[in-house]
Amino acid sequence: PLPFSIGVVTLVVVAVISLATVDWMLMLIAVLLFPALAVVNRLYTNRVEGPIGEVQHRVGEVSSVAHESFDGALVIKTLGRAPDEIERLDAAAARLQDARVGVRRIRGTFEPMIDTIPNLGIIALLLIGSWLVLSLGQAYYSMMLFPFLMTVVLPNSVIRSWVAWLAVYGFLTMDRWLL
């Protein structure tokens, strides 16, 4: 739908602009993730399109054989053709299973890539973010300061011990006796 598409395009444009104002490396990673996902998705779509059509054809075949057998069950039993119909249905079901296994193999190849690309982007963003924090003269503990404070300071916090507050004091004061 058009409103959803406009919303997605606006979101991407605003995200790229905000990343460009923060850091060009962060923007570069984000801008490279979208084409990488699009290429892998297009390759997956092209590879799976034929086998999915085959699966649909095989589902129709199994359905057709089953309906023929159900509709003519009395005639089939009367003529003694039940074993032939069972064999025919088994063969159609085996072809359907083979087609579905082929689709699952393709899916098993591409879905890990589609799932991995955003995770690689997140890892790259975290590495660049930690490098940027270190270049400001901060230490690794600075990245944990805000989540830790929000966990300790919230009224219904699980962490309400004197040790937690001592850690907050240590984070905020950099006294030598804590190091």
Side-chain angles (χ1 to χ4, degrees):
L2 185 62
F4 181 72
S5 301
I6 291 172
V8 168
V9 169
T10 304
L11 179 68
V12 168
V13 168
V14 169
V16 168
I17 290 171
S18 65
L19 284 172
T21 59
V22 171
D23 189 58
W24 67 270
M25 285 188 285
L26 298 176
M27 182 197 68
L28 183 65
I29 290 172
V31 167
L32 290 178
L33 282 179
F34 289 116
L37 278 172
V39 166
V40 171
N41 197 7
R42 174 54 65 187
L43 290 173
Y44 173 61
T45 302
N46 290 342
R47 280 280 303 276
V48 83
E49 190 173 358
I52 286 287
E54 178 72 19
V55 166
Q56 289 298 325
H57 174 71
R58 296 297 177 197
V59 166
E61 181 183 350
V62 168
S63 178
S64 174
V65 170
H67 282 295
E68 289 172 7
S69 298
F70 294 149
D71 291 341
L74 186 57
V75 174
I76 290 171
K77 283 185 178 181
T78 304
L79 296 176
R81 305 245 338 156
D84 295 337
E85 285 299 311
I86 291 172
E87 184 178 317
R88 193 171 140 214
L89 185 61
D90 284 343
R95 288 190 296 271
L96 173 61
Q97 181 181 6
D98 292 342
R100 284 188 171 168
V101 167
V103 169
R104 287 188 188 121
R105 283 189 180 141
I106 295 170
R107 188 175 171 190
T109 301
F110 281 95
E111 282 198 8
M113 285 190 281
I114 291 171
D115 291 340
T116 302
I117 289 172
N119 292 333
L120 290 175
I122 290 170
I123 290 170
L125 289 174
L126 286 174
L127 288 174
I128 289 175
S130 64
W131 178 73
L132 289 172
V133 167
L134 284 175
S135 68
L136 293 174
Q138 303 294 316
Y140 286 108
Y141 68 86
S142 297
M143 293 193 317
M144 292 301 295
L145 180 62
F146 184 73
F148 186 72
L149 282 176
M150 289 301 105
T151 306
V152 172
V153 173
L154 288 174
N156 294 329
S157 175
V158 178
I159 306 171
R160 291 193 196 165
S161 66
W162 66 270
V163 178
W165 287 106
L166 181 65
V168 169
Y169 178 76
F171 276 130
L172 294 176
T173 59
M174 282 302 290
D175 286 337
R176 289 288 169 205
W177 65 273
L178 286 173
L179 299 176

